[in-house]
């Protein structure tokens, strides 16, 4: 039997039913809050019991059929709750709790707390039955080949989705309450023997050190646990796909699931993990390689093309052929604003259209993309606010941005793009070179849970996984 | 490994004064790679003489720091001159306003970060050099190699010896930081190939008398091709790439020099 570790006398479970009811009603403000259910009853052997649960969170059918009924019909007088649990309670999970705070925390999680008159402990029973979303298709990471399941808001369901793919007893799902006693229930998953111990202990330490009041979901937690620094690029990968999380676990990574969040946080990651799509492993090496090369090219074009074009047009016209120069000059003949301002304005409009399309639901959101792209673009050219050449450059840059699989990385690429444009405006290719060096150095100096962000390129690490090209799967290679 | 090779290549191709290299005739394409190999042996001998590699003598550390930073700084002077004459119509201060903050930022991040940054640019630098050499090939003429340097062995030997101060500090610093002999050897071999190719291509395009007054011969060599092609117009981009390489080398020199002055050993491979 677990040792009673209650240290604070105020946290002790009351010995009498009267005291207990008073305490529970006071804690939950029962005079105005009708959610808490306090059910006092007797067993057939005249033992007084009190049941506390939350309306809507606990499954009343389970409580009625597997707790109340067997207890009320139990004719033998038992010594304590442990014996009652062993002989009468028909729920799968039942554990003892020795502090009042622990018991009430379980109640708010949807469990049921059972108290016996005269005993300074309680029985916490698994009765969760609140409404939850079923497993559906991923919304943000849909792929053509591969599974169509995504995580849900239920922690237990998410762990199950991963366990179905990582069928090894070495998969550990460590329960942690992030942010102390009243924090968010999380589960830290890793494969024992494969995961780096330092990463696991670092993740555990950071979770346990979080302040409770700031935690709402994994989105906030992601920012709180990742390595510090002002760099906008994410150092923790958020995914809604169980197969992606499972793949990362099998490679020795660590995965964090939070109750109430349909995303898993994967760490440690590198820049190359951010550029991988979940679909890559489901393609054969040749098409997979092509897709990856196009993706990297797209990202490169997205970040550097507007700045490079601006540098050439403003400072290094000799690098453009005569035909290109005359095309640019003639297309900009009637445009009144400087080319740098024109590029920045178009980039801003592109971001506006993108955000509007994301926020407006359903088919209207898709229509906004078409309206913004076609009609506004055409109108801007006709009104001499923009030139066709610059419009194409910005559009190509935007399309390249969408090649980046991770949404957070797309946004950080937008920052890099703007920095490249401003530096090219101020210093041409020299400014662009300086900003590129600073950006790459910043990425190289960043770490994700003590792992350098550009691993295995810098520092060099021997790996069987190719960086950009898709290797063969099987025989321990590829991925 | 990459940052040492980068530093040696930058020192060999851009830092050494053209008047000094070609004043006595051609042969830099033999002398400089030989000088790198000689510097490798000299640095290995130096390392064996140092009783405790973790705490080298203070005088050596100071000299090393000066030597590490001096040649990338000289190369920077070459680049500034090239930028002012070939790319921008701007003063040195304006150009340095872009260069120095980036160099200082990388230096402040540490020599490890500088080394990792150099790995990211290594392929681009090698490719840009290969393209520059390839597109200057149309101007190659073997007669420009005459008189052959083998006809003036004392000059060749003297040039080899006099170039070693540009290469000994990076190799010695790499040996002290890494603690192994293998890494500088590979870096030295790579930089031999790079500098040899660049200087040999320059020697095939221009005679020694012209090279004496030419800070960026590969840039000028690319302009010899009469074809109108977009790739041939990337010469300024290549200058910027190599300037970036020099900036990384200078930042690494500053950071590593600071670390050596504190006599701390680097723990991570470059």
């Amino acid at each position: 039997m677990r040792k009673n570790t209650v240290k604070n006398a105020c946290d002790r479970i009351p010995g009498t039913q009267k005291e207990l009811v008073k305490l529970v009603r006071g804690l939950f403000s029962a005079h105005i809050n009708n959610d808490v259910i306090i059910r006092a009853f007797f067993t057939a052997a005249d033992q007084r019991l009190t049941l506390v649960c939350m309306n809507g969170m606990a499954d009343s059918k389970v409580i009625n059929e597997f707790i109340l009924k067997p207890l009320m019909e139990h004719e033998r007088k038992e010594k304590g709750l442990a014996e009652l649990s062993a002989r009468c309670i028909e729920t799968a999970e039942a554990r003892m709790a020795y502090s009042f705070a622990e018991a009430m925390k379980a109640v708010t999680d949807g469990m049921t707390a059972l108290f016996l008159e005269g005993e300074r402990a309680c029985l916490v029973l698994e009765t969760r039955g609140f409404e939850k979303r079923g497993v559906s298709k991923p919304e943000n990471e849909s792929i053509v080949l591969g599974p169509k399941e995504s995580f849900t808001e239920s922690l237990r369901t998410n762990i199950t989705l991963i366990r179905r793919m990582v069928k090894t007893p070495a998969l550990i799902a460590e329960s942690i309450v992030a942010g102390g006693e009243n924090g968010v229930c999380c589960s830290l998953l890793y494969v024992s023997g494969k995961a780096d111990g330092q990463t696991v202990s670092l993740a555990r330490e950071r979770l346990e050190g979080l302040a409770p009041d700031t935690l709402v979901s994994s989105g906030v937690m992601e920012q709180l646990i990742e390595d510090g620094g002002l760099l906008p690029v994410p150092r923790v990968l958020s995914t809604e796909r169980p197969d992606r999380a499972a793949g990362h676990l099998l490679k020795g990574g660590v995965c964090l699931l939070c109750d109430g969040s349909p995303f898993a946080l994967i760490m440690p990651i590198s820049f190359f993990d951010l550029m991988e799509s979940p679909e890559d492993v489901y393609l054969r090496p040749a098409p997979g390689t092509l897709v990856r090369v196009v993706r990297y090219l797209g990202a490169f074009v997205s970040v550097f093309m507007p700045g490079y074009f601006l540098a050439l047009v403003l400072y290094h016209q000799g690098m453009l052929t005569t035909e290109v120069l005359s095309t640019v000059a003639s297309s900009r003949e009637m445009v009144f604003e400087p080319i740098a301002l024109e590029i920045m304005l178009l980039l801003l409009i592109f971001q506006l259209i993108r955000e509007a399309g994301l926020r407006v639901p359903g088919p209207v959101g898709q229509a906004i993309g078409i309206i913004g792209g076609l009609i506004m673009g055409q109108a801007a050219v006709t009104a001499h606010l923009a030139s066709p050449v610059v419009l194409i450059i910005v559009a190509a840059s935007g399309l390249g941005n969408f090649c980046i699989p991770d949404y957070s990385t797309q946004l950080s690429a937008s920052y890099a793009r703007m920095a490249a444009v401003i530096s090219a405006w101020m210093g041409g290719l020299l400014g662009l070179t300086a900003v590129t060096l600073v950006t790459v150095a910043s990425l190289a100096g960043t770490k994700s849970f003590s792992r350098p962000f550009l691993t295995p390129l810098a520092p060099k690490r021997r790996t069987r996984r190719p960086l950009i090209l898709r290797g063969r799967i099987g025989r321990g290679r590829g991925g | 490994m990459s940052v040492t090779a980068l530093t040696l290549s930058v020192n060999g191709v851009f830092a050494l004064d053209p008047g000094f290299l070609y004043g006595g005739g051609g042969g830099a394409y033999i002398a400089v790679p030989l000088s790198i190999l000689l510097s490798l042996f000299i640095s290995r001998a130096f390392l064996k003489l140092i009783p405790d590699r973790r705490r080298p003598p203070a005088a050596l550390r100071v000299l090393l720091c000066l030597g590490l930073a001096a040649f990338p700084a000289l190369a920077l002077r070459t680049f500034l001159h090239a930028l002012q004459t070939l790319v921008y119509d701007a003063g040195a201060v304006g150009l340095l306003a872009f260069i120095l903050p980036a160099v200082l930022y990388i230096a402040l991040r540490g020599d490890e970060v500088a080394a990792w940054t150099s790995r990211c640019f290594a392929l681009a630098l090698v490719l840009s050099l290969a393209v520059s050499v390839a597109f200057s090939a149309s101007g190659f003429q073997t007669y420009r190699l005459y008189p052959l340097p083998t006809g003036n062995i004392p000059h060749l030997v003297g040039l080899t010896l006099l170039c070693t101060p540009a290469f000994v500090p990076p190799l010695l610093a790499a040996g002290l930081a890494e603690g192994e002999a293998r890494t500088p050897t590979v870096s030295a071999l790579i930089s031999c190939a790079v500098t040899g190719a660049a200087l040999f291509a320059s020697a095939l395009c221009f005679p020694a008398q012209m090279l004496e007054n030419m800070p960026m011969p590969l840039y000028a060599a690319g302009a010899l091709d009469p074809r109108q092609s977009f790739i041939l117009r990337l010469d300024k981009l290549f200058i910027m790439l190599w300037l970036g390489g020099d900036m990384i080398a200078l930042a690494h020199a500053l950071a590593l020099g600071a670390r050596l002055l504190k006599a701390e050993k680097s723990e991570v491979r470059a």
Side-chain angles (χ1 to χ4, degrees):
Chain A
M1 186 173 288
R2 187 181 152 196
K3 194 175 171 184
N4 189 341
T5 56
V6 172
K7 291 179 184 169
N8 188 351
C10 299
D11 199 32
R12 289 184 75 186
I13 290 173
T16 63
Q17 189 183 73
K18 190 176 172 185
E19 237 180 281
L20 172 72
V21 170
K22 186 179 171 188
L23 205 59
V24 171
R25 287 181 66 84
L27 180 68
F28 286 99
S29 304
H31 59 286
I32 50 173
N33 181 8
N34 294 327
D35 283 348
V36 67
I37 295 171
I38 306 170
R39 177 77 158 87
F41 62 100
F42 288 92
T43 67
D46 264 350
Q47 282 185 289
R48 188 183 286 218
L49 290 155
T50 313
L51 184 147
V52 180
C53 65
M54 200 66 98
N55 193 2
M57 296 276 289
D59 189 341
S60 54
K61 196 174 174 190
V62 169
I63 293 173
N64 294 340
E65 287 187 19
F66 302 113
I67 301 173
L68 283 175
K69 189 174 174 203
L71 281 169
M72 284 179 171
E73 291 172 354
H74 190 64
E75 292 174 349
R76 181 176 147 161
K77 192 166 185 174
E78 304 293 345
K79 283 182 195 171
L81 281 168
E83 287 76 18
L84 272 173
S85 166
R87 290 183 195 279
C88 305
I89 307 293
E90 294 176 10
T91 58
E93 190 183 331
R95 57 179 171 88
M96 298 298 291
Y98 297 92
S99 85
F100 187 68
E102 187 187 342
M104 292 303 106
K105 174 76 171 74
V107 167
T108 56
D109 280 343
M111 314 271 259
T112 295
L114 189 68
F115 300 87
L116 178 65
E117 178 91 1
E119 189 164 342
R120 294 275 189 182
C122 88
L123 200 57
V124 172
L125 305 164
E126 173 59 65
T127 55
R128 278 179 283 210
F130 43 79
E131 293 295 325
K132 58 188 178 186
R133 189 165 61 92
V135 175
S136 57
K137 278 188 190 179
E139 287 182 7
N140 302 317
E141 293 177 74
S142 56
I143 58 176
V144 176
L145 303 170
K148 304 281 189 282
E149 288 179 329
S150 77
F151 288 122
T152 69
E153 284 76 9
S154 165
L155 181 59
R156 180 46 52 193
T157 305
N158 293 341
I159 295 174
T160 307
L161 286 170
I162 291 181
R163 282 206 180 274
R164 281 172 52 202
M165 296 184 189
V166 184
K167 292 176 183 166
T168 165
L171 175 63
I172 311 287
E174 203 178 303
S175 296
I176 297 176
V177 179
E181 257 183 50
N182 298 318
V184 175
C185 291
C186 301
S187 190
L188 193 66
L189 283 86
Y190 53 92
V191 177
S192 175
K194 268 193 180 174
D196 178 32
Q198 191 186 5
T199 306
V200 175
S201 52
L202 201 54
R204 195 185 293 126
E205 192 186 302
R206 289 181 185 179
L207 283 168
E208 287 169 352
L210 293 175
D213 297 335
T214 54
L215 294 173
V216 176
S217 71
S218 64
V220 175
M221 193 172 299
E222 180 185 340
Q223 297 171 60
L224 293 174
I225 65 170
E226 67 181 6
D227 293 72
L230 297 174
L231 216 59
V233 68
R235 274 85 76 200
V236 171
L237 182 60
S238 182
T239 179
E240 57 179 4
R241 296 189 63 88
D243 57 329
R244 197 173 188 189
H248 193 77
L249 285 170
L250 289 170
K251 287 170 196 162
V254 175
C255 178
L256 178 67
L257 296 169
C258 301
D259 194 32
S261 175
F263 290 94
L265 300 179
I266 290 174
M267 73 280 289
I269 59 163
S270 70
F271 172 77
F272 305 98
D273 292 324
L274 291 173
M275 293 296 291
E276 270 184 26
S277 161
E279 193 158 22
D280 286 353
V281 291
Y282 300 110
L283 297 171
R284 286 183 171 72
T289 297
L290 179 65
V291 164
R292 280 197 182 181
V293 167
V294 167
R295 190 180 305 141
Y296 276 93
L297 273 176
F300 185 81
V301 162
S302 165
V303 172
F304 290 109
M305 186 182 263
Y308 184 68
F309 175 77
L310 186 62
L312 294 192
V313 168
L314 284 181
Y315 292 91
H316 314 292
Q317 293 92 351
M319 288 178 70
L320 295 169
T321 58
T322 317
E323 294 83 6
V324 172
L325 266 179
S326 61
T327 305
V328 171
S330 61
S331 71
R332 294 202 75 250
E333 200 180 336
M334 298 297 291
V335 178
F336 55 86
E337 62 206 335
I339 189 169
L341 212 58
E342 183 189 347
I343 289 178
M344 283 195 260
L345 187 68
L346 285 173
L347 286 173
L348 177 64
I349 289 173
F350 180 83
Q351 286 294 117
L352 286 173
I353 294 169
R354 177 198 171 124
E355 282 302 308
L358 279 175
R359 305 298 158 219
V360 177
V364 181
Q366 292 169 11
I368 282 182
I370 297 168
I371 290 168
L374 287 176
I375 298 176
M376 275 190 71
Q378 185 59 38
V381 169
T382 309
H384 303 301
L385 286 171
S387 59
V389 171
V390 173
L391 199 61
I392 288 168
I393 297 286
V394 170
S397 171
L399 281 175
N401 193 252
F402 287 125
C403 290
I404 301 170
D406 181 58
Y407 179 63
S408 300
T409 313
Q410 287 178 11
L411 294 175
S412 58
S414 303
Y415 277 102
R417 182 171 55 218
M418 192 53 74
V421 166
I422 293 172
S423 63
W425 184 18
M426 292 168 66
L429 283 179
L430 180 62
L432 198 56
T433 304
V435 157
T436 304
L437 276 179
V438 166
T439 305
V440 173
S442 302
L443 288 175
T446 299
K447 289 187 177 172
S448 168
F449 283 79
S450 303
R451 181 185 175 196
F453 195 61
L454 294 182
T455 308
L457 174 64
K460 185 180 174 185
R461 291 280 181 263
R462 290 190 186 278
T463 174
R464 288 177 173 173
R465 292 178 61 214
L467 286 181
I468 296 177
L469 305 180
R470 233 303 305 276
R472 289 171 62 192
I473 294 177
R475 303 177 197 167
R477 286 181 294 169
Chain B
M1 179 180 85
S2 296
V3 73
T4 308
L6 175 68
T7 307
L8 291 171
S9 303
V10 163
N11 289 357
V13 178
F14 301 106
L16 298 170
D17 181 54
F20 161 74
L21 274 181
Y22 299 104
Y29 56 92
I30 297 176
V32 172
L34 277 179
S35 184
I36 293 174
L37 290 174
L38 181 63
S39 302
L40 179 66
F41 290 116
I42 293 173
S43 63
R44 275 192 183 168
F46 251 102
L47 286 171
K48 283 179 185 165
L49 292 173
I50 297 171
D52 183 6
R53 281 191 192 184
R54 290 185 191 183
R55 295 211 178 275
L60 176 63
R61 278 185 272 140
V62 170
L63 283 171
L64 205 52
C65 293
L66 290 173
L68 270 175
F71 286 92
L74 283 173
L76 187 61
R77 195 188 64 167
T78 306
F79 279 110
L80 281 176
H81 176 66
L83 288 176
Q84 283 178 296
T85 52
L86 301 169
V87 184
Y88 293 101
D89 182 21
V93 172
L95 298 172
L96 284 172
F98 287 97
I99 295 171
L100 288 181
V103 169
L104 287 173
Y105 175 79
I106 299 172
L108 284 169
R109 293 303 297 259
D111 58 306
E112 287 174 0
V113 171
W116 296 344
T117 309
S118 75
R119 283 195 60 83
C120 300
F121 282 94
L123 186 62
L125 291 173
V126 169
L127 279 176
S128 69
L129 185 70
V131 170
S132 296
V133 168
F135 281 98
S136 63
S138 61
F140 286 178
Q141 296 289 343
T142 51
Y143 73 83
R144 295 190 180 118
L145 296 175
Y146 287 89
L148 290 177
T150 48
N152 192 354
I153 297 293
H155 167 71
L156 200 61
V157 170
L159 192 60
T160 304
L161 289 169
L162 287 172
C163 288
T164 51
F167 307 117
V168 169
L171 288 166
L172 195 54
L176 285 172
E178 305 295 337
E180 290 183 22
R182 191 169 63 105
T183 301
T185 306
V186 177
S187 305
L189 290 172
I190 291 172
S191 56
C192 276
V194 168
T195 52
L199 294 171
F200 189 59
S202 306
L204 284 171
C205 288
F206 304 103
Q209 291 81 6
M210 284 183 75
L211 287 173
E212 236 180 301
N213 301 309
M214 212 178 265
M216 292 261 176
L218 276 182
Y219 173 86
L224 292 175
D225 196 311
R227 289 173 291 174
Q228 290 284 319
S229 163
F230 180 68
I231 292 179
L232 287 170
R233 292 165 181 262
L234 294 179
D235 44 7
K236 294 186 180 69
L237 179 63
F238 295 153
I239 291 178
M240 296 300 168
L241 280 173
W242 276 100
L243 170 61
D246 181 42
M247 287 163 71
I248 294 170
L250 185 56
H252 181 260
L254 292 172
L256 185 57
R259 182 193 275 271
L260 285 171
L261 281 175
K262 284 171 72 178
E264 283 177 14
K265 192 169 177 184
S266 173
E267 293 176 357
V268 179
R269 284 177 177 273

